[in-house]
Structures are given as structure tokens and as C-alpha cells.
Amino acid sequence: PLRGKHDDRSLVFADLTREEYLQIQQYMVKQNDLNISTNRLTKPSDNFLFLIDLSLPKKADVLAYLDGKAAKPVREATVVVFYGAGGYIKEYVVWPLPNPTNRKDVTKERYKMDLPINARTVTVGEYALLFKLFKDEVFSNLKKLMKESFDVSESKTLNAFEQMPRGVRSGDRKTWVSFFRDVSGMYIHPVGFEVLVNHESVNESDWRVERLLYNGQYFENVKELREKYDSGSVKKIVYKELPNYASLKPEHKQLQIGPQLFYAEGKRYSVKNNHILYLDWSFAFGLSSLTGMRVFDVRFKGQRIAYELSVQEAMSVYGSVTPGMIITKFLDSSIGIGRFAHELVRGVDCPYEASYVDTYRYIDVPAPVRFRNSICIFEHNMGQPLRRHFSDFFHNSYGGMVNNALVFRTITAIGNYDYMWDFIFYQSGSVEAKVHATGYISSSYLVDGSLKHGHQVAEKVLGNIHTHFINFKVDLDVLGVKNVFQTKDMEYVNVSLPWMPDHYAMVPQLVEKQLKTEKEAALRYDTKSPRYLHIASREVNKWGHQRSYRLQVFSFTGDHLPESQADEKAMSWARYKVAITKHKDLEQTSSSLYSQNNIWTPAVDFSKYIEDNESIENEDLVAWVTTGFLHIPHSEDIPNTVTVGNGGGVLLRPHNYFNEDPSIHSADGVYIKPG
Amino acid sequence: PLRGKHDDRSLVFADLTREEYLQIQQYMVKQNDLNISTNRLTKPSDNFLFLIDLSLPKKADVLAYLDGKAAKPVREATVVVFYGAGGYIKEYVVWPLPNPTNRKDVTKERYKMDLPINARTVTVGEYALLFKLFKDEVFSNLKKLMKESFDVSESKTLNAFEQMPRGVRSGDRKTWVSFFRDVSGMYIHPVGFEVLVNHESVNESDWRVERLLYNGQYFENVKELREKYDSGSVKKIVYKELPNYASLKPEHKQLQIGPQLFYAEGKRYSVKNNHILYLDWSFAFGLSSLTGMRVFDVRFKGQRIAYELSVQEAMSVYGSVTPGMIITKFLDSSIGIGRFAHELVRGVDCPYEASYVDTYRYIDVPAPVRFRNSICIFEHNMGQPLRRHFSDFFHNSYGGMVNNALVFRTITAIGNYDYMWDFIFYQSGSVEAKVHATGYISSSYLVDGSLKHGHQVAEKVLGNIHTHFINFKVDLDVLGVKNVFQTKDMEYVNVSLPWMPDHYAMVPQLVEKQLKTEKEAALRYDTKSPRYLHIASREVNKWGHQRSYRLQVFSFTGDHLPESQADEKAMSWARYKVAITKHKDLEQTSSSLYSQNNIWTPAVDFSKYIEDNESIENEDLVAWVTTGFLHIPHSEDIPNTVTVGNGGGVLLRPHNYFNEDPSIHSADGVYIKPG
Ligand SMILES: [Ca+2]
Ligand SMILES: [Ca+2]
Ligand SMILES: [Ca+2]
Ligand SMILES: [Ca+2]
Ligand SMILES: [Cu+2]
Ligand SMILES: [Cu+2]
């Protein structure tokens, strides 16, 4: 029996439907002045419709609509076109859906700058040309080396894995591509061959190989490598057959299955459209192709607690002596985090009995794509009490309640890594955003000096040291949008004991502060910060304390890239454990699609959200939370990194928000009194 | 089908049996020279057999036995006698079991000091006399006040909750006792009445009330309070009937049960005596009446990874303006952590299908007591993959494995708080020690100035700010007992790019260190320490890296009590996040039974283990890990603190220990390749 009712107003946050994508695509293609192609293999020199995604309505309009004070906001889409012919990128808003009749170029409004064409993500069309270049200009001219070193033949090739950023300054598009054995789990099979290709020009005829690395030695061009290889003046790699240690095939058959979850009396949650009900909770959900999973209008007992809770970015900085990883900084939302939310495997990725939802996306494709079962929802028995007390003093009794909670999950496999994203809804009124990393590490071929940057993890393979930084957007609205940011902590104070005043003792006191401005509330990753962080209302609970939600961050991050580095601005959100900004519709994300490939002049520099140092007192506040972990790969990362211990997250907990723990009203409570 | 075989040698770690307790008790009582009583109500002035517990054999002897090189060590018990008549405490070793014929006073050997009688835990016998004193000297003489302020009558009383330490210097036994409504969950029903009783003398006739606190006002004695109350010169508390907001009784009936766990094909673990087998894991277990849960000889695939993993201490420091909590520091092992491991409730404390084990204890009782189902063991489906990778580049495939792990659990309800203790055994070769707090907060009656120390959480009730510090002993033996302590971290280094040497970039490097001495390896709680901490062998893995286990600590602790405080030495383990010592049989625990009541001259001062600054290179190392959290109580702590977010722990993870992730060999692995 469900407690609430589904609300179709959640559709204001719904991802675009297959039909909407098609309508928008047709609308854009019909704009003759734009001359846009939707072909899968559109060349960089042509104009390509790269992305169609929901354009979120303005928050004020949505709130008015949700609260019954205004009509439904017009449904709009964001369309991204790569204008290869013109040398720029444009972002449009297209409306109204489902039958668009208008478009508006919003590039300048959103980014305060023009977007140069080389800020674009590499498309399937560009990859095809790059692969052709490797085949025609590299592999064809190095047949002997390829055969002897890597056993490459007509029927056997190498796979490519590219590194980013593509150069060292704006305008650069010079990519080091590392080659790997053509086996499953190639990411941990580097062969020791890397190629620097300059593909700055949108005309592929201008592209050229600018440098090669073979077995730790650099060459100016293919010819030099071939000649030196043939003349024997190169330290050679001699091919050696190896078992595939990256294989995930189990050796043993399962003789006895492990514990399973079952819903003896049916599911206690319900999914309708993009709206979920679970006991006292309700929320809307979506999946952005770029930033990934997100929920909106999160309510507990009908009261909105968060307007938005969303993944923003997954970033990694690597270390290496070889070019393939020496300056590597991956900014996944520029490739698309949600884009890689593939089908979840029942019984492994989520419990067998979970509910699964399909999603549709349009990113670097000729037509919208359906991703079957790419979101899962389930209630899980966490295997522990949420609360309990046993008493055998004075009053013998037992009261407790098992921790059953709702999990909302996607897993995004972006190349080598798989990030598992969970939003968890607890009966105590807490919501948790969690991320765990699994999948394959990135690796490089072992050469002299490699071990300064990691550990060897397989034959001639270095697991490169790297950071994982994840950014979440947490737009709590605590009893409305006007909130303050409070901190609480402890401090020892020397006090005289009242019954023996000549005796002093250090006694813990509560230290509370209300931070006034964005700069004050930008808590840097390398500084000590107060232990309790709160988004609070001016309204008070029954006992006169400001009602608040606390942000408790779980994080094991490494050091953030020094700000001296030109590419740091594209990831400036990672300077802060938590940063509080005043909400703006135009500050929708902490990163952008254009950050990876124009990392030196990023379209979004999060630190600018703070630079104007606005007041954060009685404003609509957004918390940007950074979590993650330092990863020093080790042999147990082969074949895959395990989720246990490799994650982080943020728990949003009520703190003087309710007058008591709301789980006391749960029907899951158990009470025992000796008869 | 179980992979390993049970090993009866685990019995070397087994808790004493009921028969053994009885034999030892009889043996001790028969020692006529000692004149020991075992009566439940033995007076402090008599000699009382307080505790019988297993005395662990020397590690070297056990290892020789386990490794088949020596006979089984003689089984011995520790016996603690409170000699009220003589004014001291003695600890004996009694042997051989089960039919003891010898005893030896080991007090001096173990503690390097005599134990004064006032270092003892308050016994049931002493409590009975204290309650009698309250009744006869306090309540009987304040009948009017008691009735008018608290509705106390013949049929209705108040309950007492005492604070510790009992004074401010060695020898003190002056306890502030706070009174609470006589309802279930009394801990959050303080009435505003506190009494300081001096019970330093073992003769109860010397005991006296030294001060009283009523409604924030102090009085020298009962007479003064009564007279001032009667004359109206006291600000009175007027009794008011209140609903019991501490009640854990659910209001609603459960209409639909939540998700349940079931073992469709039976259990994949086995418990025999005190030995557990689970897939590749095996270990022995025990439950000390004082320190609580512990496991020994933890092996993975037959190889010993840890000799001991055990709870050591649970400590809290409180803040208040009122004496009941102003100097309160609870050291739970002095009362007994394992002592309060009560029956676990099926379906709440552990899954319904879990295995439950009984334990027997002898502490402050006239005869051994059986605690039914006080340990639970179960395999849990953690609701997420342990690892997975999805690939649709080059090679389409999916490999993954659900995270099924074994949980070993006790929950100890020590007065108001319930600590849930979990040791979790993962298929990736990791073991985790976790603690969560639930149950009732300690509270005090709200008076002027109270809010400096916490938040109001109920009518006239302050939830006092406090810390939770938990200490675990982690005696890893990585490929034998001779280990080193290594740290790993990252550091940005400015390097020239090999293919464009005039360009520099900050690149992460691996920084490894081997710490040489105990002082170097005592990582203070308030300093930055390296991100990776390892106990390592000199043996290397296939790739030449030292095989190690990493300690990853999850902690949210508040500030540790300043060392300037006289009572800090009894909790000096909390100075360190992690401290590494050279193993000694005489450094079995980081705290002691005698720390709470002689807190100023503690029998064990952990910091002394480090003071000799021994070498920790190629020695048998023990890691002492501190975790916990700062607790600023809030309305949602009423009625009970929830476990979510209120915990800490330490994860022991293989790091270059295996040549690959051992879970790859698990039969739980799943592999899918498109046909
Ligand atoms: Ca701003
Ligand atoms: Ca907000
Ligand atoms: Ca030492
Ligand atoms: Ca050891
Ligand atoms: Cu990683
Ligand atoms: Cu607490």
C-alpha cells in the first residue's frame, strides 16, 4: 500500500522522449540556413548535430508550477551543433516541445564566450578518420615492427586509447594515443607504442603524426622509427604471447548461490513515468547524457527537502613518465557520463528483483538510442538496524527497526572505468549520494622511471597513480528557498567546576557560526573545516533551534592539481570540499561539455560562481560537494578495481529539522516487552 | 559445499565454558587464605570475586601450536578479586583448566603498579548500598519536594544514572548521580535533580551526600535543600505530566514487510565451536567480557592475515554546565563492553536467517550467565557489485560479481548507548571492522547556560555535545610476524614534458616511506598523515612490490581531550588516528578495567607503549586504530540515535599482497558475451 500519490508534474524534469528527440532532430535539419548533418560519420569539417538534451526550465517557474501557482513551463531542449565549416560550436534552445517551432542561440548567454570548434568532443566521425590515419600512415608503414613487436597482422590489430587534454594551450588538438592489445580488458594491456597526432584542423588532410614513442624511445616521424628499427639502433620489444589476465570469465561454476533478496509481500515503492514513491519519500528523476543521474523535487512526508541532487563531474588526474598519461586529466562530463549508463545486469549490478527503467539519449548518434534497463530502483535490506535499544536496567524492553532503504542507481562505463552511482533514501529522513569506482584501471607500458608513478601490476604494465574527484550538486531547499549556511563544531573551554570552583577542567562546548558570503563558505580541500555543515532555514523546530539538513561528506581525495596549472580552471570545483553558492539558473553545472577539449579556457570555471562573493544569507543556496579518493593501483586492481573502499559520497541528514526521528513512525518498528 | 575444514585448534582462543567458570569459581572460593565471597550483594568492605575471563596464551606459544610446532598452550583464566578488606585489587592467573590447581598474582607483572581498591568498577553490591543511601538519606528527607517536583510517591520513584570519573584526583570516589523519570528510555528524561555522593570508603557507613543540585541551584546537604524549598527561597520545579517521547513502541502495524534475505541453496558458511569458515576465509572468535568482540587467526586461502582483530575501548567525553556531565568521560571497557552483548533480535539486529551463537560470562555475578543468541553470523548481499565492467568498445562483454560478504556481529547496550560491532569479510580479501552507535543519547536537565553545550531535544532536556572514540587493535601478520610499516601518498612534481622539454607540468608522483620507530608511526589525530598506511612484509609479489595490507580508516572524530588534563592518560590511545607498536604479550589492550575509576593514574596508559620508541622494522607489529564521531545531539536523536552516518571503522585491504584480485576466482562471478 503506497502512502502518497504519483504526481504527473514530475514530467517537468523528464528526459526527452524518443518522439521528442526525433521532432527536434527534424526541426534542426530543416533549418536550411544552418546546414546540419546528422550522419553517423559526419566529418569534422561539416556541421554536426551532436547533442539533444532536456533544457531544464527556470527554477522559479518550476516551483510556481509545482506549487500550483503557475502553468507548466514550456518544455525546451538544448541542441548542440558543431559547426566544422564555420569553426565554432553553438548551443541552441529549441521550443516548444514536442513540436518545436523556435530556436535561439544561447551560447553567449550560457558561457559568456564563443565556443571554438576545438572545444568539441571527438565524435564518431572524427574517430573514424583518426583510425584511418593510424592504419594508413602508421600501421601500414611499420609492418615489420608491428609483426615482430606486437604480432599485428591482417587479422590482428591493436586498439587505441587516447589521452586528454590534447595539448598544452587553447586551440591545441594534439592527442597522444596509446596502443593496447586487442583483447577484452585492453586497458591493462599497453604494448609500449604511443603516437602523437595533430588533428587541430577540421580538415583531416591536414592531420599529421608529430611524434612516436616506442619502448620508451621517441621518434620524430614514422619514417625515423622504421629506419632506426630496421637498422637495429632501437631497443626492440619482442612479442610474447600472454594469457589474458584482464579476462573476467569465471573459472569455476557456481555450486551454491549466495543470499538473495525477495519481496515477500510485494514492492513498497512505485515508479510511474519519472516519479518515484517510497514510504514517506517522493521524487522525480532524470538522466542527463552529459552529467548523468539526477533527482528533483525530493520530498519527505510531502515537504520538499531538495530541489535537485545531481552528479556533476567525474575527474581524474594521472601521473606517468610516458606521454600517454603524463598530463592526463579526464573530465568525464565532456564525453558524457549519462551517455554511458548501459543496461544493468540483474542479480549483479542490482538485485534480481529490482525495478529497471529504460532511458533514451541523443548524443553523437544519427537517431535516438534506447538504453534498456539503464536505471534500477530497489528497496534493500541493509543488513543492520536503523536504530535499536535494548534495556535490562529498570525497564526491560527492546525497540528497534531494520534499515530498509530505497536505492536509485545507474552505472556508467566510460571507457575503462565503471562508476556506480547511488542515491539512497532512508526512513530516518536522510538521503545519501554515493559513488564507487570499478572496472579497469588505466595503465601504461613500463619503462625506466615508470615506478615513480605507480606500481607494476602485470608484465611490463604500470598501474598509474591518479586521483578520482567527483562533484555533486546539492540544491537543498529547507522549508523554502531562503536558507542560510551554518557550521557547528566543538571546542574545549577551561571552566571552573561549580561545586569546587578552584578546580578547572577542559569541557567541550558547541561552536556555531553562520557564514555570510560565498567566499567564506568555499571550504578548501586542504584546510581544516568545521565538522558539521548545515543548510538551515530561519524557521525553528519545537525547541527553538533552526531547522536544517546537515551535509556529511565521505571522502578520501588526493591532492588537487595546483592552481598554477593552466588546466586547473576547468576543474576548479575540486578546490573545495564543499562550496556554497547562491542559486542561479545560469549556474546549472559545475563543469561543461567543453571543459575537456578547451581545458585552458573552459566554458565553465566553477570558481567564478564564487568570485562575485555574493551574500548567502537568506538566499537560495546550492552546495557543491567534492568527494573521491586517491588511487595508487596495486596488483589487486587486476583485472578490476573493487568497489569496497573505493568510493565516496555525501549524506544529507535532518538536524533539528523534525521534532524527533521520523523513523519512529515507521511501521517497520519492532517492540518487545518481556511478558 | 565448504571449501576448508574446521580446525579445533581455534579452541585456544575460546571463551571459558560454563563448566570452566564454575570450576574456577570453586577453586578460588576454596582458597581459604583469600576469603573471597561470590555473593551477588557482597559489600565493598568484603572480598569479592568480580571477574573470570579467558587469559590469552602468549602469542609465540599459540603460533607454534597453530603451526604444528608445539603442544597446545596450557589453558588459563584471569580472575579479578576486589579486596575490600585489604583495600586493593588483585589479578590472578589460574591454571590449568578445566581443573585449576594453581594461581599466581599477576597484578604487578601486568600493570607495573598496585591496584588501589577505588580503581574498581562499582558492583551490584555497591549499587545496592548506594540506592539504599539515596532512599534513606535523600528521598525520605525530601518527600514534599519529590512529590511536588517529580510526582515521586511510594509507588513511583526516580531512576539514577551516574557520571564518571568520580572526582578529580586519584583516590576520589565522589559520584554525581543524576535522576531521571522512571519510564522506559529514562536517559532522555532528566528531572533536574543531581546528587554528589562520596563513597570513597569501603564502609558504607562513611558514605555521605556532599552536594545537591536542584533546578540549577546548589545545596550543601539535604537539610539545606529541604529548608530552602520549604521556605520558598528556591526556584521550584513543578511536576508536569508528559507523554513518553522516549517510547520505542510503533504506532502503526506493519501492513507490508520489507525486503528479506534468504539462502535459496543453504548457507555458504559454517560455525563450529568458535571457528568459522566462509568461502576462502577462516577465523576463530571470542567475546571478552571487558573489551568485547574479537577474532583471531584470520586466514584467507589458508594464509594467516591477522592474528587478532579486536575491539579495545569505547570512550566518550561530554560537555555540560551541570555536574552530571561537566567532566564526564566514559570508558566502557571498565564497565565491560562484551558484558553487555545481549540477545540479538532476529529480523532487526541481524537478518532472520542469520546464525546465532550463545555466549557465557562471569562478571559481577554469583554464577556464570548464559547470553542466548548474543553473536550473529550471516552472509549478506550488499546490494551492489563487488566489481563489474561493461564494454561496448572493441570487445563487447560484461563481467561482474555481486558483493556477498560475511558479517560477524555483536551489539552491546551499555546503559543508554547501543554500539553495533561488525567484522565483515569480503571476497576480495578485505576485512572491515565497523562500529555504529544507536540507542539513547545521554542528556541533562536544561538550565541557564546549557545551550553552550548542545541543543534542546525535548521539554527541558539538553542533548549534551560529546565525542565517540573507539579503539580497535589490528594485529596483522603479513606473511609471518616480521613486518614493516609503510606509507604511500602522492605529491605533485614539476616536470618537463619529454616531447616538448621547454614545457613544464605538475605531475603526480608516488611517495613511499618506511617508518622506523614507534614514535614516528604514532599518527596524531590532529595532523595530516599519509593517505595510505600499510603493514608490509619484506616478501614481494610477482612484480617485485612488497606484499602488504593497507589500513583505510573511516572516522569523523571530534577533538581529543587536551593532554594537559589529568584524566587524559587513561585515554591516550585517542591521541592517534593510528599508532604502530611492536607486539608484546603484556601490551594486550590499549585500556583496562581500572581506567575509569582511577582515571588519573590509569593501570594502562597506552602512550607508554610508544614511549620506549622501539624499532618497528621487521618486527611483529600491532596497529591501534582510533575511529568515531563528534556527536552534537539534535531533535532527531529522539527517541534513538540512528546508525546511518553515526559510525566509523577500518578496512584492511590487500595491496600488492595477491598477484591479482582474489575475487576473480570466486564462483559468484558472472560473465556475459553477446552471442
Ligand atoms: Ca555567486
Ligand atoms: Ca536551495
Ligand atoms: Ca614499545
Ligand atoms: Ca603483527
Ligand atoms: Cu582509479
Ligand atoms: Cu552520541
Side-chain angles (χ1 to χ4, degrees), chain A residues 123-376:
Chain A
T123 59
V124 170
E126 190 172 2
Y127 280 122
L129 293 172
L130 284 167
F131 291 159
K132 187 171 181 309
L133 175 117
F134 293 137
K135 188 160 179 285
D136 295 350
E137 300 192 19
V138 181
F139 284 77
S140 301
N141 292 317
L142 290 170
K143 281 192 178 158
K144 184 160 179 279
L145 178 153
M146 284 292 151
K147 180 66 195 169
E148 292 176 358
S149 295
F150 312 126
D151 196 34
V152 167
S153 62
E154 283 304 309
S155 62
K156 195 174 163 197
T157 183
L158 293 178
N159 291 333
F161 188 61
E162 48 171 359
Q163 303 306 325
M164 294 162 232
R166 308 172 190 279
V168 299
R169 59 183 69 86
S170 275
D172 277 1
R173 199 173 185 86
K174 301 175 181 178
T175 308
W176 275 101
V177 175
S178 306
F179 288 90
F180 293 80
R181 279 190 197 95
D182 181 33
V183 294
S184 75
M186 64 170 227
Y187 309 99
I188 50 175
H189 280 288
V191 297
F193 183 56
E194 303 181 6
V195 174
L196 176 63
V197 57
N198 182 333
H199 51 126
E200 261 165 38
S201 170
V202 293
N203 298 307
E204 73 274 16
S205 58
D206 297 335
W207 296 357
R208 55 190 183 280
V209 169
E210 290 197 336
R211 205 67 61 94
L212 299 97
L213 176 73
Y214 169 83
N215 202 16
Q217 304 147 89
Y218 288 88
F219 304 90
E220 293 295 320
N221 50 51
V222 173
K223 188 162 167 275
E224 186 197 343
L225 170 55
R226 188 183 58 233
E227 289 173 1
K228 289 195 171 161
Y229 183 89
D230 288 345
S231 72
S233 61
V234 165
K235 227 180 114 198
K236 293 184 182 180
I237 295 170
V238 178
Y239 178 73
K240 187 174 153 188
E241 184 81 43
L242 277 179
N244 186 3
Y245 47 81
S247 170
L248 300 176
K249 267 185 217 163
E251 304 147 22
H252 307 287
K253 276 218 167 154
Q254 202 176 27
L255 297 171
Q256 191 184 16
I257 62 167
Q260 304 291 313
L261 207 69
F262 76 115
Y263 300 103
E265 299 180 352
K267 290 170 180 174
R268 307 199 297 180
Y269 62 88
S270 166
V271 185
K272 187 188 165 201
N273 302 317
N274 70 327
H275 194 250
I276 294 179
L277 294 174
Y278 168 61
L279 303 175
D280 288 317
W281 290 101
S282 71
F283 59 94
F285 67 85
L287 183 77
S288 153
S289 288
L290 300 184
T291 58
M293 193 164 100
R294 54 194 187 183
V295 294
F296 295 96
D297 195 21
V298 178
R299 299 180 194 217
F300 190 81
K301 292 185 194 278
Q303 179 91 57
R304 183 176 308 121
I305 282 164
Y307 180 74
E308 177 183 350
L309 175 58
S310 55
V311 179
Q312 290 294 304
E313 187 58 288
M315 179 267 280
S316 284
V317 174
Y318 284 82
S320 189
V321 283
T322 46
M325 290 215 146
I326 193 167
I327 54 168
T328 290
K329 282 128 200 127
F330 288 129
L331 287 160
D332 289 351
S333 83
S334 292
I335 308 161
I337 297 173
R339 174 181 184 171
F340 297 104
H342 294 101
E343 178 164 3
L344 297 163
V345 173
R346 275 183 194 267
V348 183
D349 290 333
C350 313
Y352 196 86
E353 295 274 358
S355 301
Y356 294 84
V357 174
D358 298 347
T359 55
Y360 291 85
R361 296 194 276 284
Y362 190 109
I363 179 167
D364 200 5
V365 285
V369 179
R370 174 186 178 208
F371 290 83
R372 243 177 72 95
N373 297 349
S374 44
I375 293 174
C376 75

Side-chain angles (χ1 to χ4, degrees), chain B residues 417 441 466 468 629 631:
Chain B
Y417 259 116
I441 56 168
H466 58 280
H468 289 268
F629 62 100
H631 195 168

Side-chain angles (χ1 to χ4, degrees), chain A residues 316 318 416-417 419 437-442 464-468 629-633 637 641 646, chain B residues 532:
Chain A
S316 284
Y318 284 82
N416 57 313
Y417 258 114
Y419 283 115
T438 177
Y440 292 100
I441 55 169
S442 268
N464 297 75
I465 191 169
H466 59 279
T467 60
H468 290 269
F629 62 99
L630 169 64
H631 195 168
I632 302 173
D637 283 309
T641 296
N646 292 320
Chain B
Y532 278 46

Side-chain angles (χ1 to χ4, degrees), chain B residues 518 581-582 584 587 608-614:
Chain B
E518 288 175 328
T581 63
K582 178 175 164 180
K584 288 182 183 163
E587 295 177 356
K608 289 195 176 146
Y609 294 3
I610 291 164
E611 218 164 57
D612 57 359
N613 202 23
E614 285 162 292

Side-chain angles (χ1 to χ4, degrees), chain A residues 251 254 381 383 386 388-389 409 418 456 508 532 545 630 635-636 638 643 656-658 661 665 668, chain B residues 251 254 380 383 386 388-389 409 418 453 456 532 545 630 635-636 638 643 656-658 661 665 668:
Chain A
E251 304 147 22
Q254 202 176 27
N381 179 320
L386 175 63
R388 64 92 81 183
H389 180 70
R409 173 176 299 162
D418 302 56
Q456 186 175 350
Y532 277 45
H545 297 296
L630 169 64
S635 46
E636 292 85 358
I638 305 301
T643 53
N656 291 325
Y657 182 91
F658 303 106
D661 169 24
H665 302 292
D668 287 356
Chain B
E251 305 146 21
Q254 203 175 26
H380 197 65
L386 176 62
R388 65 92 79 183
H389 180 69
R409 174 177 297 163
D418 302 56
H453 300 281
Q456 186 175 350
Y532 278 46
H545 297 297
L630 169 64
S635 47
E636 293 85 358
I638 305 299
T643 53
N656 292 326
Y657 182 91
F658 302 107
D661 169 25
H665 302 292
D668 287 357

Side-chain angles (χ1 to χ4, degrees), chain B residues 322-390:
Chain B
T322 45
M325 289 213 148
I326 193 168
I327 55 168
T328 291
K329 282 130 201 126
F330 288 129
L331 289 161
D332 289 351
S333 82
S334 292
I335 308 161
I337 297 173
R339 174 182 183 172
F340 297 104
H342 294 100
E343 179 165 1
L344 298 163
V345 173
R346 276 182 194 267
V348 183
D349 290 333
C350 313
Y352 196 85
E353 295 275 359
S355 301
Y356 295 84
V357 174
D358 297 349
T359 56
Y360 291 85
R361 295 194 277 283
Y362 191 109
I363 178 167
D364 200 5
V365 284
V369 180
R370 175 188 176 208
F371 289 83
R372 242 177 72 97
N373 297 349
S374 44
I375 293 175
C376 75
I377 298 122
F378 58 100
E379 187 181 13
H380 197 65
N381 179 321
M382 299 298 192
Q384 58 183 51
L386 176 62
R387 56 175 173 78
R388 65 92 79 183
H389 180 69
F390 174 93

Side-chain angles (χ1 to χ4, degrees), chain B residues 316 318 417 419 437 441-442 464 466-468 629 631 633 637 641:
Chain B
S316 284
Y318 283 80
Y417 259 116
Y419 282 115
I441 56 168
S442 267
N464 297 74
H466 58 280
T467 60
H468 289 268
F629 62 100
H631 195 168
D637 283 309
T641 296

